[in-house]
Amino acid sequence: MTNRLFRLTIMVPATVTQVRQLLLTPERLPQWNPGIGTLTVRPNGWAITRSVPALNRYEILTVTATTRQVVYHSTAGRLTYQLRFDLTPRGTRTQITEELVPTTSAVRGLPLTLLMANARSAFQANLQNLAALMTRTAR
């Protein structure tokens, strides 16, 4: 059993390889996550500063991957977490299943369950932006 906050799924008209390559390129994050103001390469990962109010206005992102999974590891913010992208081929398309798994149980005394609705909505919007980007680049 996982301690994930939520799981989201979307289909994109691209191969697993294409989706994986995009996810493995954090420099492209601002193309599908419009809340990112700056993204700077650091020796310990990518430093992200958001231009909009967010739970993590600043965080450090590192990325790990296998053939069909890409994991974003977020540290240095108010909430540390893993954002897991499982990639499943479906003919000429790819199903992306995204899970947000916190690595802390609370944010300064605030239970994570209270944050779930807002976080889910924001991550859903970003996942839809990712799908739209994949649709544009697959043409």
Side-chain angles (χ1 to χ4, degrees):
M1 181 109 182
T2 180
N3 61 340
R4 73 174 176 261
L5 282 182
F6 54 79
R7 175 187 285 167
L8 305 167
T9 302
I10 199 163
M11 293 289 287
V12 296
T15 66
V16 166
T17 301
Q18 290 169 317
V19 175
R20 185 176 181 276
Q21 186 58 44
L22 177 68
L23 292 172
L24 287 174
T25 312
E27 294 85 351
R28 295 192 67 190
L29 265 169
Q31 294 177 341
W32 56 276
N33 184 334
I36 294 178
T38 60
L39 184 77
T40 308
V41 177
R42 298 278 168 86
N44 60 337
W46 288 267
I48 296 173
T49 304
R50 288 185 174 71
S51 58
V52 298
L55 185 60
N56 284 349
R57 291 292 299 259
Y58 175 83
E59 64 191 306
I60 299 293
L61 179 76
T62 56
V63 182
T64 59
T66 62
T67 304
R68 292 203 180 150
Q69 184 181 67
V70 176
V71 181
Y72 289 177
H73 306 268
S74 172
T75 59
R78 289 174 38 195
L79 174 68
T80 60
Y81 62 88
Q82 291 183 355
L83 187 60
R84 299 178 186 161
F85 298 92
D86 289 308
L87 311 175
T88 306
R90 300 279 188 233
T92 59
R93 303 169 61 138
T94 298
Q95 176 180 305
I96 303 171
T97 301
E98 176 185 79
E99 290 185 337
L100 180 65
V101 181
T103 54
T104 55
S105 60
V107 177
R108 293 188 188 161
L110 185 62
L112 290 177
T113 54
L114 295 178
L115 303 172
M116 189 167 56
N118 286 339
R120 182 183 177 98
S121 177
F123 280 86
Q124 178 71 49
N126 289 337
L127 189 59
Q128 289 171 338
N129 290 339
L130 174 63
L133 177 60
M134 292 305 309
T135 299
R136 288 192 305 273
T137 58
R139 290 182 183 166

